[in-house]
Amino acid sequence: MDITKNFTQLENFGHSLSAPAYLIQPKTAEEIYEIFQFAKKKGLTVTARGAGRSYNDAALTGGGIVLDMRGMNAITSWDKSTGLITAQSGATLEQLWQQVEPDGWWPPVVSGTMKTTLGGCLSANIHGKNNFKMGTIGEHVVEFTAVLPTGAEVTCSPKKNADLFYSMISGFGMLGIFTSVTMQMKRIYSGLISVDALPIGNLHEHLTALQDGAPNTDYIVGWLDTMNGGASLGRGQIHAAHYLHEGDDPDPAGTMKLENQILPPYIFGVFPKSILYMFMRPFVNNVGWWAVNMAKYVASQRKHTFRQSHAAFHFLLDYVPNWELSVGRGGLIQYQSFLPKETAEDAWREMLNISLKRRMPSYLGVTKRHRPDKFLLTHAVDGFSLAMDFKVTDKNRANLSRMLHEFDRIVLQAGGRFYFAKNSETTAATAQAFYGDETIAKFKKLKKRCDPNGLLESDLYRRIFG
Ligand SMILES: Cc1cc2nc3c(=O)[nH]c(=O)nc-3n(C[C@H](O)[C@H](O)[C@H](O)COP(=O)(O)OP(=O)(O)OC[C@H]3O[C@@H](n4cnc5c(N)ncnc54)[C@H](O)[C@@H]3O)c2cc1C
């Protein structure tokens, strides 16, 4: 196998990290196993990569082989009477919803972008805006197949090979490579979803609205104005969304048509969205973004209800393609912390105040309500999460890293957890502290069994399992 021509530089989604690797696109499970054998002979590490939408180093392995799983992306079966779908692991959520929605189904859990692959989503065990109600994506997986570095091809479900089921889902590709996934879709009765928008004055109100609103809704998500402090620190807006019931939509077949769901490529019918990020650049600084947030806050003061398509509600971040490039050359770091409902308010107050005081505010603030799950490397808690985006520059890189380590300390002290699809600074010591010795020992035992030669190693793996 000659892989020298495949040598390339790969980046994380936030463009704040990069690593050289041999990029190979397998088409079959046999090819994946051949690559493992080749890697063993050459002393190289291997990491799977889906759509490369992780904000951090999860899909990078400096100097090793990266398996580009997008070559295995077929939807192999779809049963519109039961809502069961089977697809290869490189299929994206975009493929999935576009297959099932016209037949009256929707994926039960989706990320804020539809570009992610099933393999990437299972590895991170993604959550949606309905985590408090529907759990993570892994809870809707009926069965998956995977290739282990030993060459074994395994089929796993909550009953069969259950230890692998609950550890490969959430395992960030460190135990084996998913090849195929069978999932249960959720019935819907309209292509539209009803959204209640609620203005929020401060952090206490914010978390109370998430807590009290969640039991009465299907989805709940908050926008938090991270540029504003003082008495109104934590202000923003809550969106609580409900599925329409059977009969609520007079034309469900029409609203579920793809042409009524797909996000338009133009603004005002003429302006291509693909270049919009360039026009955002002048605003992506502390003053510009403060003004953007202020305008958004003023515009969000009216309590109202509206209907929008499922795709528009779920995939807001796909509205502006390549928006992540708007922050400029240094890229961005996303920091998402998960905190128990009892400690979240104090911990986030401290973190938000630190970021404002040091003039390194987050340019994004997204809050969600969560529930725990039983996957081995779980990130969820009975509480809330706050996702923050920080612009990286040559000047602030070291200070930003220091501040995020301080955040880690605050989150740990508050009994919180971290999400390794996002955080890029969290260290092995922190990971050890929040996973706990028992979980780490269990994971290491499984790692030895599935990958005795230690072939599956990402930069993330080296960072958190040191
Ligand atoms: C705009 C945006 C919004 C997001 N919103 C959310 C959200 O709402 N909720 C949420 O939970 N996450 C969210 N994410 C994070 C994202 O869902 C995860 O990072 C997801 O893992 C990315 O999928 P991917 O296909 O791009 O995987 P990659 O980033 O390419 O890889 C992620 C991990 O999966 C592993 N992997 C990939 N394919 C396979 C395979 N076939 N077998 C084994 N391992 C594999 C990789 O080795 C890596 O460890 C968001 C990301 C972006 C960019």
Side-chain angles (χ1 to χ4, degrees):
M1 193 182 291
D2 177 18
I3 58 168
T4 46
K5 62 181 186 314
N6 303 44
F7 204 57
T8 187
Q9 196 72 21
L10 292 171
E11 290 190 342
N12 61 332
F13 174 75
H15 303 286
S16 55
L17 301 167
S18 78
Y22 300 97
L23 186 65
I24 306 179
Q25 194 173 84
K27 296 276 191 233
T28 61
E30 292 72 37
E31 278 181 36
I32 295 173
Y33 181 49
E34 274 167 31
I35 294 166
F36 277 132
Q37 286 177 305
F38 175 81
K40 186 174 159 197
K41 214 158 71 196
K42 298 286 179 188
L44 295 170
T45 58
V46 180
T47 293
R49 186 174 172 98
R53 250 58 186 184
S54 294
Y55 280 81
N56 61 2
D57 46 2
L60 300 175
T61 184
I65 295 175
V66 169
L67 300 175
D68 176 358
M69 296 304 294
R70 290 171 304 175
M72 294 173 68
N73 68 346
I75 292 180
T76 48
S77 90
W78 164 233
D79 183 340
K80 62 181 177 187
S81 63
T82 61
L84 270 187
I85 191 161
T86 302
Q88 289 181 303
S89 65
T92 59
L93 289 184
E94 180 171 24
Q95 285 174 267
L96 210 65
W97 78 258
Q98 294 196 359
Q99 175 74 50
V100 306
E101 217 256 356
D103 295 326
W105 299 86
W106 185 258
V109 173
V110 294
S111 45
T113 171
M114 62 175 102
K115 304 296 177 192
T116 48
T117 64
L118 288 181
C121 290
L122 262 60
S123 290
N125 200 16
I126 62 156
H127 59 263
K129 301 173 182 76
N130 54 356
N131 186 249
F132 59 93
K133 187 165 188 174
M134 298 294 277
T136 54
I137 195 166
E139 294 175 48
H140 307 276
V141 173
V142 174
E143 182 179 286
F144 67 73
T145 57
V147 182
L148 307 185
T150 54
E153 285 190 47
V154 290
T155 300
C156 305
S157 73
K159 295 238 163 78
K160 190 171 176 186
N161 293 318
D163 54 349
L164 284 185
F165 182 86
Y166 286 104
S167 52
M168 284 191 66
I169 296 179
S170 79
F172 283 96
M174 297 184 268
L175 298 175
I177 307 294
F178 297 112
T179 45
S180 159
V181 183
T182 300
M183 277 181 65
Q184 176 65 54
M185 299 292 107
K186 177 160 182 22
R187 245 283 169 238
I188 52 169
Y189 299 99
S190 170
L192 300 174
I193 195 156
S194 173
V195 186
D196 298 328
L198 184 74
I200 294 291
N202 59 47
L203 186 57
H204 182 73
E205 248 183 59
H206 200 121
L207 299 184
T208 306
L210 286 174
Q211 169 79 12
D212 295 349
N216 312 311
T217 193
D218 292 312
Y219 297 92
I220 199 158
V221 61
W223 165 68
L224 188 148
D225 179 359
T226 44
M227 309 290 291
N228 184 74
S232 51
L233 180 124
R235 71 184 187 182
Q237 187 183 38
I238 297 285
H239 277 175
H242 319 258
Y243 291 112
L244 299 195
H245 297 120
E246 200 167 4
D248 285 353
D249 180 353
D251 180 23
T255 56
M256 287 192 286
K257 274 194 185 141
L258 285 187
E259 69 220 48
N260 293 322
Q261 292 284 331
I262 288 172
L263 308 179
Y266 297 99
I267 286 186
F268 308 126
V270 288
F271 192 78
K273 289 201 303 191
S274 54
I275 56 167
L276 194 60
Y277 76 90
M278 292 186 211
F279 295 90
M280 288 164 63
R281 269 197 184 151
F283 298 97
V284 188
N285 53 59
N286 287 359
V287 176
W289 214 250
W290 177 86
V292 168
N293 272 15
M294 178 59 93
K296 187 169 158 61
Y297 180 69
V298 170
S300 67
Q301 282 310 288
R302 191 171 59 87
K303 187 175 172 184
H304 62 293
T305 298
F306 60 97
R307 285 184 180 184
Q308 77 183 139
S309 71
H310 285 269
F313 175 75
H314 288 289
F315 307 124
L316 183 69
L317 289 165
D318 292 335
Y319 262 98
V320 182
N322 304 322
W323 59 266
E324 72 282 5
L325 296 174
S326 67
V327 296
R329 212 165 45 86
L332 66 91
I333 289 178
Q334 179 158 118
Y335 186 94
Q336 188 173 17
S337 49
F338 290 73
L339 283 160
K341 55 187 187 309
E342 296 78 13
T343 59
E345 188 176 333
D346 286 348
W348 284 330
R349 190 180 304 285
E350 190 179 354
M351 284 155 64
L352 287 164
N353 276 327
I354 289 175
S355 71
L356 289 169
K357 202 164 141 203
R358 301 212 186 146
R359 297 203 160 80
M360 287 185 286
S362 161
Y363 290 178
L364 171 100
V366 174
T367 54
K368 290 182 192 145
R369 174 81 173 99
H370 296 273
R371 77 176 190 200
D373 59 69
K374 49 183 183 170
F375 293 88
L376 188 63
L377 299 185
T378 178
H379 57 270
V381 291
D382 180 7
F384 312 103
S385 69
L386 169 63
M388 301 194 261
D389 279 356
F390 295 95
K391 175 175 170 162
V392 184
T393 63
D394 290 342
K395 216 168 132 202
N396 79 359
R397 194 177 281 266
N399 282 339
L400 183 57
S401 181
R402 250 193 303 277
M403 182 173 84
L404 298 182
H405 285 138
E406 226 171 304
F407 284 5
D408 279 1
R409 182 188 50 76
I410 296 167
V411 172
L412 265 188
Q413 270 177 6
R417 304 183 77 85
F418 305 87
Y419 187 25
F420 289 119
K422 309 284 179 83
N423 296 23
S424 58
E425 308 299 301
T426 303
T427 62
T430 302
Q432 175 97 25
F434 90 88
Y435 282 137
D437 292 345
E438 198 186 321
T439 299
I440 301 255
K442 226 175 185 175
F443 180 74
K444 288 199 166 160
K445 204 166 156 202
L446 282 162
K447 175 81 175 157
K448 218 169 193 168
R449 185 174 114 206
C450 298
D451 183 17
N453 298 299
L455 297 176
L456 279 170
E457 260 198 17
S458 58
D459 287 353
L460 168 71
Y461 178 79
R462 285 184 281 272
R463 173 161 63 90
I464 61 167
F465 289 107

